[in-house]
Amino acid sequence: MQRLKEFDREQVLRIIVLCQAIRLSGQDPFTVDVKEKLQILRELLPKWKLVEDLLLDSEALKELSEIVKLQGEWVRRRASRMFIDPFLIEAKLKLMDREQLARAFLKAWRPIISTEQLTFRRLKEAYDYWAALPPLSERKHELTTQAEFELKHLDIEELIKMRLLTKEEFEKALDELYEELLARSRGEAIDYWSFVVREGFEESAMRAYMVSFLVSQGRAELFIDPIQEVIYIKPAKAEEKKVGRSVVVAFNYDVWRRELERVKRERGSFS
Amino acid sequence: MSEEALARKLRKAAHLILFQHHRYPGAKGWELRKVVGKDYMKVIKLLKERLSELGLDIKIVSEEGENVESLSEMQLDKARFYIVSKHPLTLSEASLAGWRLDSLAVLAAAIAFIASRHGKAPKKEVEKMLSEKFPEWKVSMELDRFIKRGYLAEDEEGMVYLGWRTKAEVDLKALLENIAGGQVS
């Protein structure tokens, strides 16, 4: 009995899928025998007891009505002078070269002539903006300050190119920093900022930059405590060294000042 | 109506249709009635004659996108009036207007393909057909551009339709005839 019901449901589903496929692919809607499908639905209707079965039945009916609508459009189009066999058009499109296609289009094309204009409202907005804009002399300081503090990303190759350091120097500095991390942490996780931050901004930036290398080389690990928003750094043990992973830590002048004050405060409270 | 009043109405109608004041160019019938007056169709007829001397024409497209010659007053209210070129452009004129030969060819093939399939076709099929002649990156880029400019439209089910601009600018029957070589049933 259950099997029979499944078979009946499948029949309705098949009708729905068929109608949807025809509708979406733009194929000839007359390939669906609407009368036959309606007969099937009519025979099955007394068997449906559950709401979901009845809903399935109504969906199938809706899809069939869409097909009838498409059939109407199809007939109207075929009867009109616009009808040209789509396969003929496709074949011709394949045969024609670019210039022939362009010329065929130009013969049937009458482009719209229009011009964009400035409306009174836009003009007023522009005037208001201009009236509220401070003179350049007042904005100059603001503009140059912005330009001075524009953040730039320099990689190791660029630093070497700028002769700010050599590869050997950088490797040596990295080893020293790693040794320092080992000594300070004794293998445990320590506060990242207290390790990185120094009295000078440049030195701190350089240490943060080198730490990122230690992390990407797998010689150190960063952890972020999502609740307290504290970043920890820990040296990776020799046997645990693995491929580095990326952790994004923002560093700029404001961050440095804030963290330096915090680190100083914490050191003061310990001493 | 005095000659001066007529000249004023002609100017108003020409400005309303020519200057884009909405997202779409042209003007609706009710806008013309509001600005020009009840007898706006007489003014449009006169404007059509004047524009004809300049190689321009006025095209009236119904709300459904059909280019019909006789519309009822109510249909005219909802129809959109455009100023269009009266004569076909030459290749060099189209090039001067910023159209590349490739772009025109892609547009011609896409419109003809969709028009021959009752005005809609799956985007994948259109792309497949165009990819036989043009590189895939170009096909994708051009189709997106034509959708943005209103020549084509697409829905969430991945079907591509003829856009409002195609209905206003392109004589589909002539295009299909040109491509099929005059074999129209």
Side-chain angles (χ1 to χ4, degrees):
Chain A
M1 188 69 188
Q2 186 64 27
R3 255 183 154 178
L4 260 174
K5 200 150 194 181
E6 282 302 314
F7 177 74
D8 292 339
R9 254 190 224 132
E10 209 177 297
Q11 281 198 85
V12 182
L13 280 171
R14 270 190 202 156
I15 293 172
I16 294 170
V17 171
L18 174 70
C19 294
Q20 284 175 343
I22 295 288
R23 192 159 53 83
L24 294 176
S25 64
Q27 286 176 39
D28 182 356
F30 283 97
T31 49
V32 181
D33 188 343
V34 177
K35 206 173 168 184
E36 184 207 344
K37 305 297 176 203
L38 282 173
Q39 188 60 37
I40 294 172
L41 291 182
R42 184 176 293 166
E43 281 165 16
L44 292 173
L45 188 62
K47 296 181 185 177
W48 304 134
K49 300 281 181 249
L50 297 171
V51 178
E52 58 191 76
D53 291 335
L54 289 165
L55 283 172
L56 206 65
D57 176 74
S58 61
E59 194 184 339
L61 205 59
K62 186 194 142 248
E63 289 294 342
L64 281 172
S65 68
E66 291 282 344
I67 293 294
V68 173
K69 188 182 158 200
L70 280 179
Q71 287 178 343
E73 285 171 12
W74 187 271
V75 170
R76 260 201 307 279
R77 196 166 178 88
R78 288 228 165 195
S80 77
R81 292 181 64 218
M82 274 286 288
F83 175 70
I84 298 179
D85 187 353
F87 296 107
L88 171 71
I89 291 293
E90 199 172 340
K92 290 277 183 178
L93 288 175
K94 280 179 186 169
L95 290 173
M96 289 169 91
D97 64 28
R98 292 177 313 154
E99 194 173 332
Q100 284 174 321
L101 279 170
R103 284 189 190 283
F105 180 72
L106 286 174
K107 276 188 194 172
W109 186 42
R110 304 288 182 274
I112 292 172
I113 316 292
S114 79
T115 175
E116 287 184 0
Q117 59 166 343
L118 197 58
T119 60
F120 179 73
R121 195 175 145 195
R122 284 274 171 215
L123 201 62
K124 192 173 177 309
E125 279 173 8
Y127 173 77
D128 291 343
Y129 171 76
W130 178 254
L133 194 68
L136 190 62
S137 57
E138 283 177 33
R139 288 186 296 133
K140 203 173 178 185
H141 175 70
E142 193 186 317
L143 292 170
T144 48
T145 314
Q146 275 176 4
E148 277 166 15
F149 286 98
E150 195 182 343
L151 296 176
K152 284 185 178 171
H153 190 99
L154 289 175
D155 58 25
I156 184 79
E157 276 74 24
E158 280 173 309
L159 288 172
I160 291 166
K161 246 188 220 171
M162 289 162 77
R163 297 188 180 181
L164 287 174
L165 80 165
T166 63
K167 248 184 187 168
E168 293 72 29
E169 274 174 355
F170 189 71
E171 287 300 331
K172 198 181 160 199
L174 265 185
D175 289 342
E176 282 172 7
L177 192 72
Y178 180 62
E179 291 300 324
E180 186 189 328
L181 178 65
L182 282 174
R184 273 189 62 185
S185 67
R186 292 175 192 161
E188 299 299 321
I190 57 167
D191 180 44
Y192 167 81
W193 290 114
S194 72
F195 179 69
V196 162
V197 162
R198 287 291 177 272
E199 286 292 336
F201 172 69
E202 289 81 4
E203 191 190 352
S204 307
M206 193 63 193
R207 286 173 70 86
Y209 185 64
M210 291 201 299
V211 164
S212 73
F213 269 83
L214 290 181
V215 173
S216 58
Q217 285 173 357
R219 295 159 84 181
E221 286 177 85
L222 288 184
F223 306 93
I224 298 177
D225 182 338
I227 298 166
Q228 296 190 344
E229 292 183 344
V230 179
I231 308 167
Y232 294 103
I233 183 167
K234 182 187 167 191
K237 288 173 190 166
E239 64 273 17
E240 286 175 354
K241 282 179 191 171
K242 51 196 174 211
V243 180
R245 65 191 179 98
S246 294
V247 175
V248 178
V249 182
F251 187 87
N252 56 32
Y253 189 77
D254 290 335
V255 172
W256 168 72
R257 269 181 55 179
R258 191 184 66 223
E259 292 302 331
L260 182 65
E261 277 170 26
R262 186 180 66 82
V263 170
K264 274 183 178 173
R265 216 170 35 242
E266 283 177 4
R267 278 180 194 156
S269 65
F270 277 119
S271 58
Chain B
M1 196 187 311
S2 72
E3 221 168 87
E4 198 185 319
L6 184 65
R8 200 170 50 243
K9 285 190 173 187
L10 268 175
R11 264 201 310 275
K12 277 184 180 175
H15 287 187
L16 195 65
I17 303 176
L18 199 59
F19 294 142
Q20 189 167 335
H21 49 287
H22 295 304
R23 194 177 155 209
Y24 301 113
K28 288 243 182 174
W30 66 265
E31 289 176 299
L32 283 161
R33 187 163 42 80
K34 198 176 158 191
V35 174
V36 181
K38 274 183 186 173
D39 55 351
Y40 73 94
M41 277 311 286
K42 283 182 192 163
V43 179
I44 291 292
K45 200 179 164 191
L46 196 61
L47 182 63
K48 207 174 156 114
E49 284 169 21
R50 296 275 177 93
L51 287 172
S52 174
E53 293 165 16
L54 302 169
L56 301 172
D57 196 9
I58 293 181
K59 193 165 184 179
I60 307 169
V61 181
S62 76
E63 201 184 15
E64 293 76 32
E66 304 296 325
N67 179 27
V68 270
E69 277 151 27
S70 56
L71 291 169
S72 70
E73 203 174 312
M74 205 189 248
Q75 285 172 316
L76 277 172
D77 258 12
K78 291 176 184 170
R80 193 167 272 279
F81 292 64
Y82 300 103
I83 293 179
V84 295
S85 162
K86 192 170 184 174
H87 308 289
L89 267 62
T90 61
L91 261 180
S92 55
E93 281 171 337
S95 169
L96 274 175
W99 283 87
R100 290 168 57 91
L101 184 82
D102 273 2
S103 303
L104 286 169
V106 171
L107 184 57
I111 291 176
F113 186 81
I114 297 166
S116 70
R117 280 166 168 70
H118 312 273
K120 66 172 182 179
K123 193 176 181 185
K124 279 187 181 166
E125 277 187 29
V126 180
E127 284 172 338
K128 193 181 158 198
M129 179 273 298
L130 292 170
S131 300
E132 287 180 21
K133 276 190 194 290
F134 305 96
E136 276 179 27
W137 63 268
K138 190 170 185 64
V139 168
S140 169
M141 191 183 76
E142 295 281 27
L143 284 182
D144 285 345
R145 199 155 67 94
F146 295 141
I147 288 168
K148 268 187 199 161
R149 294 183 71 168
Y151 282 104
L152 303 174
E154 97 179 292
D155 67 11
E156 289 163 354
E157 289 175 332
M159 299 294 281
V160 192
Y161 301 82
L162 298 177
W164 65 268
R165 196 181 279 275
T166 295
K167 288 169 186 169
E169 294 186 353
V170 184
D171 181 345
L172 291 173
K173 187 174 166 286
L175 176 68
L176 293 176
E177 278 177 351
N178 294 339
I179 287 172
Q183 296 179 40
V184 185
S185 67

